[in-house]
Amino acid sequence: MTVRWGIVSAGKICSDFVNAVNSYPGKGDQVIAAVAARDRSRAEEFAKLHNIATVFDSYQAMADSSGVVDVVYIGALNPDHFALTKLFLKKGKHVLCEKPMCLNLKQTQALVNIARQKKLFLMEAVWSRFAPVYLALEKDIDSGKLGDVKLVEVNFGVPLISVDRLTKKDLGGSALLDIGVYTLQFAQFIFKDEPTKVTAVGTVNEEGGGPLPFP
């Protein structure tokens, strides 16, 4: 059975996702079937670039559609993740949502409850969990090759000061919700268990988000 993907938004991350799917030799009968964006012209440009057959005028139109898409990939800005994921789940579509799935625990729990109630697939798109190096590392830990792991230190940094989605509070601005997700999930990937204590230190910028520029 062909698995038909709908792409929600037409930005760079969505383009990266489509390229990854189309270039993966083991994708089987999966196909990128449709795209929707707030601006139809952007969706049409995206569809032309990636040879996508169907363009929707709106996210609502894709959600309301029947027989076009089975699962959607949501690559919109962080503050839109909750509403869009809820929309598509309510309409019976499976969802792969870009990280972070939501801006807080309450929103995420609400989506998980809907997915369970409707028996739909719902997943946060943390791509690195499927990288060959992760799988090899997990195998070495499980086999005892690395001994009993007691400490994990993770560092990940890139220039972010000029990125609005990180610096502006109304866009969900947070280094933690962007690349910080990779450091948190890596620790959980190694230890498997939930943390018993979380300690955080940070400073917000003048717009209520983060990060701050280096002195």
Side-chain angles (χ1 to χ4, degrees):
M1 184 182 90
T2 299
V3 177
R4 299 164 298 186
W5 284 88
I7 306 302
V8 180
S9 190
K12 180 183 181 302
I13 190 66
C14 287
S15 188
D16 290 344
F17 175 81
V18 171
N19 286 332
V21 171
N22 287 336
S23 63
Y24 183 57
K27 71 175 182 177
D29 55 0
Q30 297 185 72
V31 63
I32 308 297
V35 60
R38 297 185 188 279
D39 182 344
R40 181 180 173 86
S41 64
R42 289 194 64 201
E44 290 175 340
E45 182 180 349
F46 190 95
K48 183 178 180 180
L49 176 65
H50 295 288
N51 194 29
I52 300 173
T54 302
V55 175
F56 286 98
D57 291 331
S58 67
Y59 301 138
Q60 185 70 54
M62 179 184 282
D64 290 337
S65 68
S66 177
V68 181
V69 301
D70 307 299
V71 54
V72 298
Y73 169 77
I74 297 177
L77 291 174
N78 295 351
D80 297 326
H81 288 183
F82 173 69
L84 288 173
T85 300
K86 182 178 179 180
L87 169 65
F88 284 98
L89 288 175
K90 287 284 189 178
K91 292 294 184 175
K93 306 292 193 296
H94 304 286
V95 176
L96 175 64
C97 182
E98 188 52 59
K99 54 81 183 165
M101 183 175 290
C102 297
L103 298 182
N104 58 61
L105 177 61
K106 183 178 180 180
Q107 290 180 338
T108 303
Q109 288 178 326
L111 296 180
V112 170
N113 290 339
I114 295 171
R116 285 175 173 167
Q117 179 185 14
K118 299 180 76 67
K119 294 180 170 54
L120 293 169
F121 172 87
L122 171 63
M123 183 176 178
E124 184 179 41
V126 182
W127 68 271
S128 52
R129 284 290 182 97
F130 301 92
V133 66
Y134 269 57
L135 303 180
L137 177 60
E138 185 175 44
K139 182 178 179 180
D140 285 345
I141 292 174
D142 291 344
S143 69
K145 183 177 181 180
L146 299 182
D148 188 9
V149 179
K150 299 291 187 180
L151 174 69
V152 172
E153 180 177 340
V154 192
N155 296 284
F156 185 9
V158 294
L160 299 172
I161 300 306
S162 61
V163 181
D164 284 348
R165 73 172 189 273
L166 289 154
T167 58
K168 296 182 182 297
K169 185 178 181 180
D170 61 347
L171 294 179
S174 167
L176 184 62
L177 291 176
D178 197 85
I179 64 170
V181 168
Y182 291 114
T183 61
L184 293 178
Q185 66 82 27
F186 183 79
Q188 194 276 332
F189 175 76
I190 298 299
F191 290 121
K192 306 303 181 187
D193 295 328
E194 295 293 326
T196 57
K197 181 181 179 181
V198 177
T199 302
V201 177
T203 306
V204 298
N205 62 23
E206 60 185 13
E207 298 195 53
L212 290 172
F214 290 109

